[in-house]
Amino acid sequence: MVNSHADPMSGGLPAATPSGTPDLHARALAATVVPMGLFESRDAVLTAVWVNEAFERAVGYGLEGAHEREPAIRAELERDPVRAMQLAEALLAARPFTPTFTLGRADGSRFVCQVHLSPVPSDDAHDTPRYWVAAFQDMTEQLSHDAEQAALVEAERRERRSLGLIAQVSDLLMDVDDPHALREIAMVLRHAVVGWAGFFLNDRGLRAADGIDGGPGRGHRGDAFRTATRGPRPDAPDVVQLLLDGERDRPVDLALDAVYACGSASEWLAQHVSAQAQHPTDGQPAPSGGRAVVFPVPGRRRVLGLMAVVPRDEGGLRAIEPAAMTILELTARRVGLVLDNARLYDREHRLAETLQRAMLPEQAEVDGLDVWTYYAPNSENVQVGGDWYDVLQISPDVAGVVIGDVVGHDVEAAAAMGQLRSVVRSYTFDITTPGPVLERVDQLVTGMRIPRSAGLVLSTLTRREQGWRLEWSRAGHLPVLHVRDGVATELRDAGGALIGFGNGVRSTSTLDLVEGDVLVYYTDGLIERRDRGLREGLAALAGVASRITARDAAGIGEELLSRLADHPEDDVAVVVVRVPDPRDHLERARSPRRRRWSLPNEPSSIGRARHAVVRTCQAWEIPDAANAELVVSELVANAVLHGFGHVSLQLYDTGDGLRIEVEDGNPAPPVSTDGHPGRVGGFGMQIVERLADWGWRQSRGGKLVWAKVRPGSLPETGR
């Protein structure tokens, strides 16, 4: 309401005094570009009594319009009692106050306005100020700027969060051998962007996966969709199969409660996602969404699997924010890339190792000599190299032993090793004397242009009336170690250049062996380390060999490995040859009670394993060799019939019995055979249960079945 004493020409302000000063002030307030007004305070309520032209230009109305909108301001204060109390206290105390109001313009729009209120002193200093001057500040631009800055900050925060999540996923994918890597990635996604997440690999059918493995051929079988001829009529297409077939490369919605074709990929995945999402493994509450979003996990040539997520809110794809969608797509792609690389490397490695092991001979049984062989690729880096050995029965009285190393750790090195082995074997049967054999090998290798350098030691052992005679020639390889009566000697004679670099003449050296003599053939992986040079390694080998107490070749080899190759940094190949001593049974050796053999996956390995157990029990003076023979026969038979890959046989003397361990490449549990008469291993695991305590566990390469033979057990009758 306008003051009755105001001068209309001054815009509602009191009339000027004769001096003209108030009139100057009034004209100054009216001329300012800052929207301003004068308010009268009555019972802690402000009423407009004057506004300037800047105010009218800003809002589109004058004093009368301000009066019309005062009830809306009071209503706003009633909804905010804290601000209303602050305003009342400021009016009562006559102190400046800056509240914020939402004002309406004449066109109906609204804007946030900050009002700077200051009391106008009364003529009497003791009176409470009656009038308040107000300056209005439009906060629209400031708020827009603040909102823009806040949006930029939020966008940066989301981007950093996304980068952090991707980095976390990448770190988890660094350890491809972690059996729970995919499960941990799914938990990271669940805690950050979705309600639930899981991975499913496509290995001859879908299967839930916790980690990255070698893929098909490693014993995994998809437990996914099976075809069916009858079932309910589907009301939804098989979108999951379209992803698996590569016909769609973008994420798809999967309704978890829809009816899909019986036996389809979508039906299987919807059932498994529903079951797993409702029973999470991390203890978090399960999401209630009825739709999942399925992302393809792409490889180079095909879709390797799927990543399924359940959004935190209903709506499927629509419920996932763009930033979260980017995170999920990048995660699926990175998992696919790492999975593809891991499987490619695994295939190449298994190909090279299979090629290499196929070229390594079976351990020859040489009449009159105790021979033990061992080969293992680098266990730390899982590489494949060119280390190799060969044991030949050239004639009834002549045996040949070769050990060598081709430079490199790949398929080419393994192939070069195979070529060289075949050449050496062929010429050794034809010529026999080591020096001339290597001369012929030099000539042929030079013409074959084998791309890798190689070194080897070729030796022959000839039976004579007085014992055995050793002949050898070296081509750039480490010397054979000869041990007699606790004295180790390096056989450095008859040395020469690497194969293919000889000058045309290769010498041959000779040594007569006596009973109890030991020959150790080895590659550099047995003795070399980053912290130990070649000379120190040779000295360590001689020191260990001179103190060995074992009375058989296998025991000597095991002690060398336990002392020198517990953590090899390169491939290791070892051949131990011992001339038996009739006095061996008179003294019980204090050697490590462990033996190991690598056997091909074929029925003949069953007989070899039985023979190895019998010989070991005799060397260790362990009774019940017949029971151990039956147990190992059944374990190896199961590995041959139901497993794949090489079979590893290990024997341990536990002090109160014999422990047998058989490992193969199939991670599935042991399978009992049906016991048909005449069938290899026909008595199955029943006889193992009768004679031994046994169990099994997963291993890195498949499964390991163990059995501890009970002392005093009776063998199965009728065997």
Side-chain angles (χ1 to χ4, degrees):
M1 172 178 255
V2 180
N3 193 319
S4 59
H5 300 286
D7 183 358
M9 296 302 295
S10 61
L13 287 176
T17 61
S19 64
T21 301
D23 180 62
L24 177 61
H25 292 169
R27 286 187 284 111
L29 291 174
T32 181
V33 296
V34 177
M36 301 188 70
L38 186 67
F39 290 82
E40 183 180 7
S41 174
R42 296 178 181 176
D43 300 327
V45 176
L46 292 175
T47 302
V49 296
W50 169 83
V51 294
N52 66 353
E53 294 182 0
F55 180 88
E56 295 184 13
R57 289 194 299 268
V59 298
Y61 52 80
L63 186 61
E64 184 177 351
H67 289 163
E68 294 175 355
R69 289 163 176 79
E70 284 179 359
I73 300 296
R74 296 190 182 100
E76 183 177 345
L77 285 173
E78 290 176 359
R79 292 191 296 269
D80 190 353
V82 174
R83 186 171 46 159
M85 182 180 64
Q86 292 172 345
L87 177 59
E89 291 176 351
L91 294 176
L92 182 62
R95 66 170 182 268
F97 183 57
T98 306
T100 301
F101 293 100
T102 302
L103 302 182
R105 293 188 177 92
D107 59 4
S109 62
R110 299 179 66 80
F111 68 101
V112 178
C113 180
Q114 201 170 48
V115 183
H116 302 273
L117 286 169
S118 299
V120 179
S122 302
D123 294 337
D124 187 349
H126 298 287
D127 291 342
T128 301
R130 180 180 177 186
Y131 293 98
W132 292 71
V133 64
F136 298 87
Q137 181 182 357
D138 189 348
M139 301 297 294
T140 302
E141 183 176 350
Q142 179 66 34
L143 292 176
S144 299
H145 176 73
D146 292 345
E148 183 179 350
Q149 292 298 316
L152 291 175
V153 170
E154 177 63 21
E156 183 178 358
R157 187 187 68 81
R158 287 197 302 266
E159 184 176 352
R160 289 190 177 187
R161 184 188 67 172
S162 300
L163 292 176
L165 286 174
I166 295 301
Q168 193 172 356
V169 169
S170 300
D171 290 342
L172 292 173
L173 289 173
M174 290 291 290
D175 186 6
V176 296
D177 294 326
D178 184 356
H180 305 298
L182 295 183
R183 181 197 299 177
E184 292 180 6
I185 292 173
M187 291 177 65
V188 168
L189 296 177
R190 176 172 184 179
H191 293 158
V193 293
V194 295
W196 178 88
F199 288 90
F200 301 85
L201 299 186
N202 183 25
D203 298 331
R204 304 189 186 100
L206 288 175
R207 63 178 178 86
D210 286 338
I212 294 173
D213 51 57
R218 304 293 282 181
H220 298 295
R221 293 185 178 181
D223 58 344
F225 41 94
R226 301 174 181 175
T227 57
T229 57
R230 295 182 181 181
R233 183 180 181 87
D235 58 10
D238 192 358
V239 292
V240 173
Q241 191 63 54
L242 296 178
L243 286 179
L244 294 175
D245 294 340
E247 296 184 16
R248 291 191 182 180
D249 57 0
R250 299 291 300 166
V252 298
D253 262 330
L254 180 69
L256 300 180
D257 54 356
V259 178
Y260 297 97
C262 185
S264 66
S266 295
E267 180 197 48
W268 184 92
L269 187 61
Q271 293 175 354
H272 279 67
V273 169
S274 297
Q276 293 191 25
Q278 294 304 317
H279 299 88
T281 58
D282 56 2
Q284 298 294 324
S288 58
R291 305 185 70 83
V293 181
V294 186
F295 295 78
V297 177
R300 290 179 177 86
R301 297 184 178 180
R302 68 180 184 91
V303 175
L304 302 177
L306 304 170
M307 180 181 74
V309 302
V310 178
R312 290 174 175 171
D313 300 319
E314 292 282 357
L317 278 170
R318 294 173 298 177
I320 301 179
E321 297 179 353
M325 183 65 69
T326 301
I327 293 173
L328 295 172
E329 289 181 340
L330 286 176
T331 298
R333 291 177 185 176
R334 292 203 175 195
V335 169
L337 178 62
V338 172
L339 182 62
D340 209 12
N341 287 339
R343 293 188 171 185
L344 178 62
Y345 175 80
D346 182 77
R347 286 194 298 269
E348 291 181 350
H349 172 71
R350 285 192 289 120
L351 172 62
E353 186 176 5
T354 301
L355 174 64
Q356 188 175 34
R357 288 194 179 275
M359 293 176 179
L360 291 176
E362 296 182 19
Q363 181 173 321
E365 301 292 338
V366 180
D367 184 27
L369 292 174
D370 184 8
V371 181
W372 178 84
T373 57
Y374 175 82
Y375 168 78
N378 182 350
S379 60
E380 180 178 352
N381 297 324
V382 199
Q383 293 179 326
V384 174
D387 290 16
W388 59 287
Y389 66 83
D390 204 351
V391 180
L392 314 172
Q393 187 72 63
I394 300 173
S395 70
D397 294 323
V398 180
V401 179
V402 189
I403 196 163
D405 185 3
V406 177
V407 175
H409 295 85
D410 51 23
V411 176
E412 187 177 63
M417 176 270 288
Q419 291 178 293
L420 190 59
R421 170 182 171 270
S422 299
V423 170
V424 173
R425 175 180 274 255
S426 176
Y427 284 150
T428 301
F429 275 96
D430 185 31
I431 302 174
T432 304
T433 306
V437 170
L438 295 187
E439 293 174 10
R440 293 286 299 275
V441 173
D442 280 334
Q443 297 173 6
L444 186 59
V445 167
T446 302
M448 292 174 62
R449 300 182 181 275
I450 293 179
R452 300 296 181 92
S453 301
L456 62 87
V457 176
L458 170 63
S459 66
T460 58
L461 295 100
T462 304
R463 193 199 316 264
R464 307 178 67 194
E465 293 182 1
Q466 299 82 6
W468 290 83
R469 168 166 290 182
L470 171 70
E471 293 183 305
W472 77 91
S473 183
R474 294 191 302 122
H477 196 77
L478 297 170
V480 177
L481 191 68
H482 172 239
V483 184
R484 176 181 294 175
D485 296 330
V487 178
T489 305
E490 298 175 4
L491 303 182
R492 289 186 170 275
D493 297 338
L498 294 170
I499 288 296
F501 296 91
N503 57 7
V505 178
R506 296 276 188 177
S507 60
T508 302
S509 292
T510 304
L511 176 67
D512 289 330
L513 304 177
V514 300
E515 293 174 342
D517 278 8
V518 176
L519 299 173
V520 180
Y521 303 76
Y522 55 94
T523 57
D524 55 3
L526 179 66
I527 60 174
E528 277 194 306
R529 298 290 183 276
R530 294 185 183 93
D531 58 349
R532 184 174 68 195
L534 188 60
R535 289 182 180 275
E536 292 81 0
L538 289 171
L541 173 62
V544 171
S546 64
R547 297 190 297 271
I548 289 178
T549 61
R551 295 289 181 172
D552 61 323
I556 295 170
E558 289 295 344
E559 188 157 348
L560 291 174
L561 293 177
S562 65
R563 301 284 185 86
L564 299 171
D566 52 345
H567 293 90
E569 297 174 1
D570 199 356
D571 306 333
V572 177
V574 181
V575 178
V576 177
V577 178
R578 186 175 188 275
V579 180
D581 188 338
R583 298 168 296 176
D584 289 345
H585 69 281
L586 299 179
E587 179 181 354
R588 186 177 178 88
R590 300 180 302 277
S591 62
R593 298 296 187 171
R594 182 177 70 177
R595 301 290 187 270
R596 74 188 84 177
W597 291 265
S598 179
L599 307 172
N601 194 302
E602 56 188 38
S604 62
S605 294
I606 303 172
R608 289 189 57 202
R610 297 175 65 164
H611 184 52
V613 167
V614 171
R615 287 196 310 168
T616 301
C617 289
Q618 292 173 350
W620 291 348
E621 300 180 5
I622 294 179
D624 299 325
N627 294 348
E629 184 182 5
L630 290 175
V631 171
V632 78
S633 177
E634 299 304 332
L635 295 184
V636 175
N638 257 329
V640 170
L641 292 173
H642 304 288
F644 42 78
H646 270 66
V647 178
S648 173
L649 169 64
Q650 298 195 58
L651 306 177
Y652 299 88
D653 181 3
T654 63
D656 59 350
L658 182 69
R659 179 183 172 94
I660 303 170
E661 293 185 355
V662 176
E663 183 178 2
D664 65 80
N666 187 351
V671 177
S672 298
T673 55
D674 53 15
H676 289 308
R679 177 176 175 180
V680 176
F683 286 86
M685 296 301 293
Q686 292 84 359
I687 195 170
V688 176
E689 295 175 351
R690 183 78 176 273
L691 300 176
D693 299 319
W694 73 281
W696 75 284
R697 60 179 172 83
Q698 295 281 350
S699 66
R700 183 173 182 177
K703 72 171 178 298
L704 185 148
V705 184
W706 61 268
K708 183 179 178 183
V709 181
R710 302 189 191 102
S713 299
L714 295 176
E716 187 80 9
T717 59
R719 180 69 171 171

